Amino acid sequence: MLRKKFLGEFIGTATLVATVVGSGIMATNLSADLGIDLLINTVATVFVLYILITLLAPISGAHFNPLVSAIAYLRKELTAAHTIYFFIAQILGGSLGAMIANLMFEHPAIDPSQNVRDGANLLLGEVVASAGLIFIIFIAIKQGIDKKIPRLVAAWIGAAYFFTSSTSFANPAVTIARSLTDSFSGIKFSSVPAFIAAQIVGAALGYAGFKTLTSKSKSGK
């Protein structure tokens, strides 16, 4: 069972990153307009997220994101060992996905990004994107509408691509993987640690918001 979950997270994260990176490269090949490039990147990501979460949720839970797995561990839904396995699967899968996308477009398999993404405004964007993602997932679970999570997550990420300054990475494994491509969707490795720190802060805030809204008051209301 663990092997299937590991494989589900590996394949899911690999496919997600291959889509993000591949559609980013294709977009820049097709258009010099950054707005159109972002739209192409967004549409491809939204569609693949819906597909992957729908199909792989029954197998692995379809986390594809260390933030989600870490909170699942805190909620005692995963053991420490399973959480580490998930982290490994997500990071390795994401890295492979980036390399596959690079190779599909005749780039070097590992093509370190030179796209510096620095600044407090971008980090705030990551806090917002990550907080919203975590809040949506766990409040949907709490409300018993798990089957709507594929649509809800895809919709949030699609919207956050456009309304956050960082274009919504919201995922440490994907952030690491995107440092391997010097393309539209890339991020220079030196920018990765700050992005991941912002994502962790956002996840903590999102989960705190979820707990606050769903906890019962002393009066039971």
Side-chain angles (χ1 to χ4, degrees):
M1 181 63 73
L2 178 58
R3 182 175 61 183
K4 289 183 178 180
K5 289 182 177 182
F6 182 96
L7 190 58
E9 288 297 296
F10 180 87
I11 292 172
T13 313
T15 306
L16 172 60
V17 173
T19 302
V20 172
V21 174
S23 64
I25 297 173
M26 176 64 83
T28 55
N29 288 347
L30 294 174
S31 172
D33 188 312
L34 289 178
I36 293 175
D37 293 348
L38 182 59
L39 179 61
I40 292 170
N41 199 210
T42 302
V43 170
T45 303
V46 165
F47 283 155
V48 85
L49 267 174
Y50 177 79
I51 293 168
L52 292 173
I53 297 172
T54 299
L55 296 180
L56 296 178
I59 297 173
S60 70
H63 295 184
F64 316 140
N65 188 331
L67 300 177
V68 178
S69 300
I71 292 178
Y73 166 71
L74 294 176
R75 289 164 58 89
K76 299 182 179 179
E77 296 169 0
L78 288 177
T79 66
H82 286 186
T83 304
I84 292 171
Y85 284 132
F86 270 40
F87 288 172
I88 293 171
Q90 292 155 359
I91 293 170
L92 292 181
S95 298
L96 178 63
M99 289 187 280
I100 289 173
N102 283 336
L103 290 171
M104 284 194 294
F105 291 91
E106 299 184 312
H107 291 212
I110 297 177
D111 191 17
S113 178
Q114 301 305 310
N115 189 358
V116 176
R117 297 178 188 257
D118 288 339
N121 62 313
L122 298 186
L123 299 181
L124 178 58
E126 280 303 286
V127 170
V128 172
S130 303
L133 177 65
I134 294 302
F135 179 83
I136 287 167
I137 291 171
F138 289 97
I139 204 165
I141 292 171
K142 179 71 173 180
Q143 294 177 353
I145 55 173
D146 309 45
K147 291 184 179 180
K148 293 185 178 181
I149 288 178
R151 281 174 283 171
L152 293 171
V153 168
W156 171 257
I157 293 299
Y161 260 47
F162 280 96
F163 86 81
T164 64
S165 56
S166 64
T167 66
S168 183
F169 284 48
N171 184 327
V174 169
T175 304
I176 292 169
R178 287 169 67 167
S179 72
L180 302 178
T181 179
D182 192 23
S183 62
F184 175 79
S185 60
I187 177 172
K188 191 167 184 177
F189 189 75
S190 61
S191 300
V192 168
F195 259 56
I196 292 177
Q199 291 159 4
I200 293 170
V201 170
L205 291 174
Y207 191 66
F210 154 73
K211 293 292 287 183
T212 300
L213 284 182
T214 58
S215 62
K216 292 183 179 180
S217 64
K218 292 182 179 179
S219 63
K221 295 181 181 180

